[in-house]
């Protein structure tokens, strides 16, 4: 790699004034337009292993045979939920993806490898078919394999990146990349949308756990390792050897948006964009990454999907990137003047392939037209197609041999699970230990907390679905919960472990391990207003206090994708372990927490924080070297058995009011959740009733005969535009106690749909999901929604609700008629 002054930013572990000064605009330089990069200030790099004369000659020969339609088709990617193999007969697309919640063909979204293999084969059968006027070119099939091949049932799930950062082990990262590639290739796929090279600087961001660290040097040290793990050595690894194409993402500045808002604006100077957020890209390019994904976010107000100075001037020219740039999910549509089906601006800026999951057909037709009219130069099309074909040749896609495909011994193999368990051990960070760890293997312990026996919660987002929700332990046949790992280890040591989620017991245990933390989430829904854990609903803290008041020593195992303010929970714990999102191998936690029968350690803690830990819930931008740096636990902190340390009582003043944070959970656990409140119209009654899982965990609403009456849940108007565009749904779990005799309307904002048929009958508890877009189509202003829920009836009706709130993409959504 060639060194220039920009690259000196990567030689230190924190951003300093001296580092920033190296990137200052030269004296006398003319000011530029906001969002315009100066390529001469950026690091110089060069793709390795992508260009050779023989391959380029084959590409030239192939392109001479291709029609304009075939060339444009290479530049567009569609999603399995919106395209069928036979569509390729008319639309010769270059790539197919399966988004986080998109299913394989003719199978559920939660499927083992078989349906995925058949899906890829079905698309490629059409793409490679020999027929008149058609040039056979294999498709690329992309998947968000971000912590293992996490869309496939039975795959090994590695800890998420925020956990891997705590290992400080680049060699481990490479081995995880190799294992992920093998399991991806075995499921028939050839392209992993990984690694994420973001440098998260505001921990409220819902994708913080996709980043390795706030420290750009650590991200830089991991970058090439993961690329070569997935792809093999530059120019050497192919699908036939069990390697897949990588996609370094998201270029650029996704971790630096204002207030940590997903897809927001990184309103930062160019020198900071270089020094912090580009750290991982030169090593990735030098390691031969075949693709780089453009980011949703803006820089200085200019959307990245349309920023020619960065996509072309910096990435392709200055950094010498010879692969292709892929867009993110309809990201081109966010450019001013563009729609999801019409965006020449993005291609002209340097995007080579648009991710157009449901908009592919319109985008194809408009792009062909725009090339014919000269709006998009033919030279730009030829450059994009050459880059895409180059990647396909180098990935081995033109070779029909698929020796790794359908290898059932690879997916969830004992070797890969052992590697994931090693990663769990190395990622654990001990924040507090007042003499209770390690646990004697001969002890009698209680394991409590709603995450103790919950593989879904320990795996987090991007696990079998986009948000990682709606999963049960049965969906993870090759996995072990944290409780199961503890119980197995205790039994081997002569002790015992009893699971009691609520912490109840008949015989007092020697010690309790309580496992709790964040619920699964992904982009958008994971954004926070405060770093306070369980703000306003301290269920886990209540459990800890209950056990402490019984005189039981408590070990807390905290699951999260980011550092959070947990001072009250720390105070109620004798030991506290940051376990992050460990994935499928919960037994890795027992490996470190549980000692031998005499209490001697079997493995020590080696994890150190790759993100600074907050002292208050308001320390959103807490980064080493930044202004006012005053963490509770600094970057690189981590205790061990060999190097213990005591922790005194901590302040329990959060420093910020968290009540405005909730906009997706309206009623659950027998109560309306803040900041919302329930209003009953005249003629509507309310009383508590039992839910399926909790005494008085539901409310029963009753309508009397007479005039139309309404029950509503409201607060100040909320903005649900993101949730609506993300195809989220209003979900209600209900039981009809006395069927509707008149018309029933369900309202969000000013949009009302007819739900009379839903409440006419049916036995037992049921769940209904209604897409938010249904209310938008009925007139709701999703930017200013009030109320968030209202139910009106013109006649007698009695119905009980155990849950009302928003849910991510899920089967069973329906759009009732407008009312």
């Amino acid at each position: 790699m060639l060194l220039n002054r920009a690259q000196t930013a990567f030689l230190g572990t924190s951003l300093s004034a001296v580092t920033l000064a190296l990137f200052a605009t030269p004296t006398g330089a003319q000011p530029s337009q906001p969002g315009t990069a100066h390529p001469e200030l950026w690091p110089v790099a060069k793709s390795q292993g992508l260009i050779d004369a023989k391959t380029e000659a084959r590409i030239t020969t192939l392109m001479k045979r291709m029609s304009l339609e075939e060339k444009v088709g290479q530049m567009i990617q569609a999603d399995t939920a919106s395209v069928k193999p036979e569509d390729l007969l008319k639309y010769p697309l270059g790539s197919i993806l399966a988004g986080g919640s998109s299913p394989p063909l003719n199978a559920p979204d939660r499927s083992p490898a078989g349906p995925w293999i058949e899906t890829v084969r079905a698309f490629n059968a059409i793409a490679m078919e020999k027929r008149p006027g058609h040039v056979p070119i294999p498709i690329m099939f992309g998947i968000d394999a971000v912590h293992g091949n996490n869309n496939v049932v039975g795959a090994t799930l590695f800890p998420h990146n925020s956990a891997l950062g705590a290992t400080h082990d680049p060699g481990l990262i490479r081995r995880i990349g190799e294992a992920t590639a093998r399991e991806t290739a075995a499921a028939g796929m050839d392209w992993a949308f990984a690694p994420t090279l973001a440098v998260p600087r505001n921990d409220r961001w819902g994708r913080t756990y996709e980043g390795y660290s706030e420290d750009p040097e650590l991200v830089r040290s991991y970058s090439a390792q993961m690329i070569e793990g997935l792809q093999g050595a530059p120019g050497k690894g192919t699908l036939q050897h069990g390697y897949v194409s990588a996609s370094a993402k998201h270029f650029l500045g996704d971790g630096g948006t204002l207030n940590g808002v997903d897809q927001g604006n990184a309103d930062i100077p160019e020198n900071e964009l270089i020094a912090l957020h580009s750290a991982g890209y030169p090593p990735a390019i030098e390691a031969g990454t075949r693709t780089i994904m453009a980011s949703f976010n803006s820089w200085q107000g200019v959307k990245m999907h349309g920023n020619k100075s960065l996509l072309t001037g910096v990435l392709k020219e200055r950094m010498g990137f010879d692969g292709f740039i892929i867009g993110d999910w309809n990201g081109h549509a966010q450019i001013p003047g563009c729609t999801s089906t019409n965006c020449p601006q993005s291609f002209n800026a340097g995007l080579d392939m648009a991710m157009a999951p449901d908009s592919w057909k319109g985008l194809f037709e408009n792009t062909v037209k725009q090339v014919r009219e000269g709006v998009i130069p033919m030279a730009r099309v030829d450059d994009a197609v050459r880059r895409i074909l180059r990647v396909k040749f180098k990935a081995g896609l033109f070779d029909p041999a698929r020796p790794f495909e359908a290898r059932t011994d690879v997916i969830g193999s004992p070797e890969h699970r052992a590697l994931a368990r090693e990663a769990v051990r190395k990622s654990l960070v001990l924040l507090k230990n007042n003499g209770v760890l390690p646990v004697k293997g001969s002890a009698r312990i209680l394991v409590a907390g709603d995450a103790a026996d919950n593989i879904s919660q320990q795996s987090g987002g991007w696990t079998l679905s986009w948000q990682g929700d709606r999963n049960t332990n049965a969906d993870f046949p090759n996995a072990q919960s944290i409780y199961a790992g503890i119980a197995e280890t205790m039994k081997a040591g002569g002790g015992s472990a009893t699971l009691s989620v609520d912490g109840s017991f008949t015989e007092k245990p020697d010690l309790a391990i309580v496992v709790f933390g964040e619920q699964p989430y992904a982009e958008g829904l994971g954004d926070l207003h405060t770093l306070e854990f369980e703000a306003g609903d301290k269920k886990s803290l209540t459990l800890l206090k209950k056990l402490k008041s019984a005189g039981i020593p408590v070990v807390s195992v905290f699951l999260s994708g980011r550092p959070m303010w947990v001072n009250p929970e720390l105070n109620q714990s004798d030991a506290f372990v940051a376990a992050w999102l460990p994935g499928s191998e919960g037994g890795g936690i027992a490996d470190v927490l549980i000692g031998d029968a005499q209490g001697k350690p079997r493995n020590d803690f080696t994890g150190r924080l790759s993100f600074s830990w907050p002292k208050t819930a308001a320390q959103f931008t807490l980064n080493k070297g930044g202004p006012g740096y005053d963490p509770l636990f600094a970057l690189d902190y981590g205790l061990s058995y060999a190097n213990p340390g005591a922790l005194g009582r901590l302040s329990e003043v959060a420093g910020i009011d968290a009540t405005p944070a909730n906009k997706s959970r309206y009623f659950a656990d027998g109560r309306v959740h803040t900041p919302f409140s329930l209003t009953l119209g005249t003629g509507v009654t309310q009383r508590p009733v039992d839910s399926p899982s909790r005494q008085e965990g539901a409310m029963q609403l009753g309508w009397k005969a007479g005039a139309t009456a309404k029950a509503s849940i409201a607060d100040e108007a909320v903005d649900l535009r993101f949730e609506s565009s993300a195809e989220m749904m209003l979900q209600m779990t209900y039981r009809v106690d006395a069927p509707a005799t008149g018309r029933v309307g369900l309202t969000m904002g000013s949009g009302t749909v007819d739900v009379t048929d839903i409440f006419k009958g049916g036995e037992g508890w049921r769940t209904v999901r209604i897409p938010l877009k249904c209310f938008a189509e009925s007139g709701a202003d999703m930017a200013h929604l009030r109320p968030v829920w209202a139910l009106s009836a013109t006649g007698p009706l009695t119905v009980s609700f155990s849950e009302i709130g928003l849910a991510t993409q899920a089967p069973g959504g329906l759009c009732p008629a407008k009312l």
Side-chain angles (χ1 to χ4, degrees):
M1 185 189 302
L2 300 174
L3 287 174
N4 68 5
R5 61 177 179 167
Q7 288 174 294
T8 59
F10 307 119
L11 301 179
T13 59
S14 65
L15 185 68
S16 67
V18 174
T19 299
L20 287 176
L22 292 171
F23 299 101
T25 302
T27 303
Q30 294 297 313
S32 61
Q33 292 293 319
T36 300
H38 299 82
E40 69 275 8
L41 299 178
W42 290 68
V44 175
K46 182 60 181 174
S47 286
Q48 301 298 310
L50 283 177
I51 292 182
D52 65 76
K54 183 179 178 181
T55 301
E56 295 305 303
R58 293 180 70 185
I59 295 170
T60 298
T61 300
L62 191 60
M63 289 179 64
K64 286 178 179 178
R65 298 170 51 206
M66 295 172 67
S67 67
L68 172 60
E69 288 77 9
E70 287 173 319
K71 289 181 177 181
V72 169
Q74 289 297 306
M75 299 167 63
I76 294 176
Q77 181 185 65
D79 184 77
T80 58
S82 302
V83 66
K84 301 299 181 188
E86 53 267 28
D87 290 325
L88 271 58
L89 292 169
K90 182 177 180 181
Y91 300 93
L93 304 181
S95 179
I96 305 295
L97 85 149
S101 294
S102 297
L105 297 173
N106 307 313
D109 58 341
R110 289 161 177 77
S111 288
W116 291 108
I117 293 168
E118 292 306 314
T119 295
V120 179
R121 288 175 176 172
F123 281 107
N124 259 323
I126 301 295
M128 296 302 291
E129 186 178 54
K130 294 181 179 179
R131 56 184 186 271
H134 170 67
V135 179
I137 299 174
I139 64 160
M140 289 186 72
F141 195 98
I143 198 84
D144 283 287
V146 297
H147 66 128
N149 194 7
N150 43 262
N151 269 34
V152 174
V153 170
T156 306
L157 301 175
F158 294 95
H160 270 293
N161 285 353
S162 57
L164 297 182
T167 70
H168 293 79
D169 189 342
L172 176 67
I173 301 307
R174 185 184 185 115
R175 289 188 287 141
I176 288 173
E178 291 173 345
T180 299
R182 301 292 189 273
E183 297 205 16
T184 302
M189 303 149 182
D190 55 81
W191 187 7
F193 298 142
T196 298
L197 300 180
V199 181
R201 304 293 285 182
N202 189 313
D203 294 338
R204 288 180 294 177
W205 186 36
R207 305 190 78 162
T208 295
Y209 67 83
E210 295 187 51
Y212 296 116
S213 178
E214 73 190 41
D215 178 6
E217 174 61 20
L218 184 58
V219 175
R220 186 204 64 77
S221 72
Y222 277 15
S223 173
Q225 297 294 326
M226 181 56 81
I227 296 296
E228 293 196 18
L230 289 167
Q231 293 190 170
K236 303 295 184 183
T238 66
L239 193 58
Q240 290 70 33
H241 299 105
Y243 292 106
V244 298
S245 293
S247 188
K249 66 182 187 182
H250 307 85
F251 192 86
L252 187 66
D254 49 346
T257 61
L258 185 65
N259 297 322
V261 173
D262 189 54
Q263 304 184 20
N265 184 30
D267 191 17
I268 57 178
E270 184 174 7
N271 52 13
E272 189 173 329
L273 189 69
I274 297 168
L276 287 177
H277 299 286
S278 76
Y281 288 91
I285 291 168
E286 294 281 351
T289 187
R290 295 181 187 133
T291 75
I292 291 177
M293 186 179 290
S295 186
F296 278 121
N297 68 276
S298 305
W299 173 52
Q300 296 183 355
V302 178
K303 279 292 179 181
M304 206 60 59
H305 276 67
N307 194 317
K308 186 173 183 177
S309 71
L310 284 167
L311 297 183
T312 298
V314 169
L315 188 53
K316 291 182 175 179
E317 296 174 356
R318 182 67 170 179
M319 291 188 180
F321 175 55
D322 294 324
F324 72 83
I325 301 174
I326 173 70
D328 209 335
W329 190 277
N330 278 331
H332 56 278
Q334 297 186 10
I335 299 171
C338 285
T339 68
S340 61
T341 59
N342 190 329
C343 194
Q345 297 96 312
S346 192
F347 290 121
N348 285 336
L351 192 76
D352 299 305
M353 182 185 287
M355 187 183 289
D358 55 355
S359 56
W360 57 270
K361 187 177 296 184
L363 186 63
F364 173 88
E365 292 170 345
N366 282 322
T367 303
V368 169
K369 182 173 180 287
Q370 287 153 0
V371 177
R372 292 194 191 282
E373 294 173 347
V375 177
I376 302 174
M378 194 66 210
R380 174 76 273 272
V381 173
D382 284 342
D383 173 61
V385 174
R386 177 171 291 275
R387 289 170 177 272
I388 293 165
L389 294 179
R390 180 183 295 146
V391 165
K392 291 185 176 184
F393 274 114
K394 288 298 182 179
L397 301 191
F398 281 90
D399 181 347
R402 296 289 185 272
F404 268 83
E405 190 172 273
R407 280 191 49 182
T408 56
D409 62 315
V410 170
I411 297 175
S413 71
E415 294 80 10
H416 292 170
R417 292 190 61 192
L419 175 61
R421 188 162 177 157
E422 175 190 345
V424 174
R425 287 196 300 271
K426 290 182 173 180
S427 69
L428 302 178
V429 180
L430 182 61
L431 301 181
K432 177 180 180 179
N433 184 19
N434 289 357
V436 296
L437 289 178
V439 178
K440 284 186 178 180
S442 57
R444 184 168 41 82
I445 68 172
L446 186 76
V447 183
D450 58 7
D453 194 33
N454 190 328
I455 299 170
S456 176
Q457 191 168 348
Q458 73 192 41
S459 299
W462 292 109
T463 302
L464 300 185
S465 68
W466 176 36
Q467 297 287 329
D469 55 355
R470 300 181 292 109
N471 297 320
T472 68
N473 282 3
D475 294 317
F476 303 96
N478 295 328
Q480 185 177 48
S481 73
I482 294 171
Y483 161 70
I486 291 172
E488 180 181 79
T489 304
M490 293 300 296
K491 183 179 180 180
S496 66
T498 301
L499 178 66
S500 174
V501 172
D502 66 359
S504 58
F505 57 87
T506 53
E507 187 176 355
K508 185 177 177 181
D510 298 324
L511 177 141
I513 297 177
V514 184
V515 189
F516 60 94
E518 291 188 286
Q519 295 296 321
Y521 58 84
E523 58 196 283
L525 299 187
D527 287 1
L528 297 176
H529 294 269
T530 172
L531 292 181
E532 181 178 357
F533 174 64
E534 289 186 343
D537 187 20
K538 296 288 190 181
K539 293 187 298 183
S540 300
L541 181 61
T542 299
L543 175 57
L544 296 176
K545 288 181 175 180
K546 171 184 174 180
L547 292 166
K548 285 290 288 182
S549 65
I552 300 170
V554 172
V555 175
S556 287
V557 176
F558 184 56
L559 305 180
S560 70
R562 54 191 149 201
M564 301 196 76
W565 186 74
V566 287
N567 284 18
E569 290 81 5
L570 278 159
N571 284 338
Q572 294 298 322
S573 305
D574 296 288
F576 196 100
V577 178
W580 313 105
L581 299 172
S584 61
E585 304 313 310
I589 291 170
D591 289 344
V592 185
L593 269 63
I594 312 299
D596 63 15
Q598 289 73 43
K600 294 180 62 177
R602 297 183 301 124
N603 296 280
D604 204 349
F605 287 91
T606 59
R608 294 177 289 115
L609 293 178
S610 61
F611 291 88
S612 303
W613 200 278
K615 184 178 289 185
T616 76
Q619 288 180 306
F620 312 134
T621 54
L622 184 65
N623 302 298
K624 186 176 180 180
Y629 184 69
D630 183 27
L632 179 61
F633 304 118
L635 191 73
D636 291 328
Y637 176 89
L639 301 175
S640 67
Y641 298 136
N643 295 290
L647 183 67
R649 186 166 183 82
L650 304 170
S651 167
E652 297 191 3
V653 177
I656 187 172
D657 181 8
T659 53
N662 174 37
K663 61 176 183 177
S664 62
R665 198 178 193 203
Y666 309 141
F667 178 86
D669 303 322
R671 62 186 178 85
V672 176
H673 284 248
T674 55
F676 302 105
S677 59
L678 175 68
T679 302
L680 302 178
T682 303
V684 183
T685 61
Q686 175 199 10
R687 73 181 185 92
V689 293
D690 293 345
S691 73
S693 60
R694 180 170 176 165
Q695 184 177 13
E696 295 193 355
M699 66 174 174
Q700 186 183 78
L701 300 178
W703 280 259
K704 299 178 180 179
T708 300
K710 180 183 292 186
S712 61
I713 296 175
D715 184 55
E716 298 298 320
V718 297
D719 184 351
L720 295 184
R721 285 176 294 179
F722 172 85
E723 289 77 1
S724 180
S725 65
E727 300 182 7
M728 292 186 64
M729 305 182 185
L730 176 68
Q731 177 172 293
M732 300 181 293
T733 299
Y734 69 98
R735 182 186 66 203
V736 175
D737 300 319
T741 56
R743 190 173 295 277
V744 183
L746 179 64
T747 300
M748 293 189 81
S750 53
T752 301
V753 297
D754 187 347
V755 291
T756 305
D757 289 343
I758 293 173
F759 294 106
K760 276 188 173 179
E763 295 183 1
W765 291 94
R766 298 183 169 198
T767 297
V768 64
R769 303 179 184 93
I770 300 175
L772 296 182
K773 65 181 181 182
C774 304
F775 298 98
E777 292 167 357
S778 298
D781 178 2
M782 305 309 290
H784 303 90
L785 203 68
R786 187 177 189 274
V788 293
W789 179 89
L791 194 69
S792 60
T794 61
L797 167 68
T798 306
V799 59
S800 297
F801 294 94
S802 66
E803 183 180 19
I804 303 171
L806 301 187
T808 54
Q809 298 164 316
L814 57 90
C815 244
K818 300 177 184 178
L819 190 64

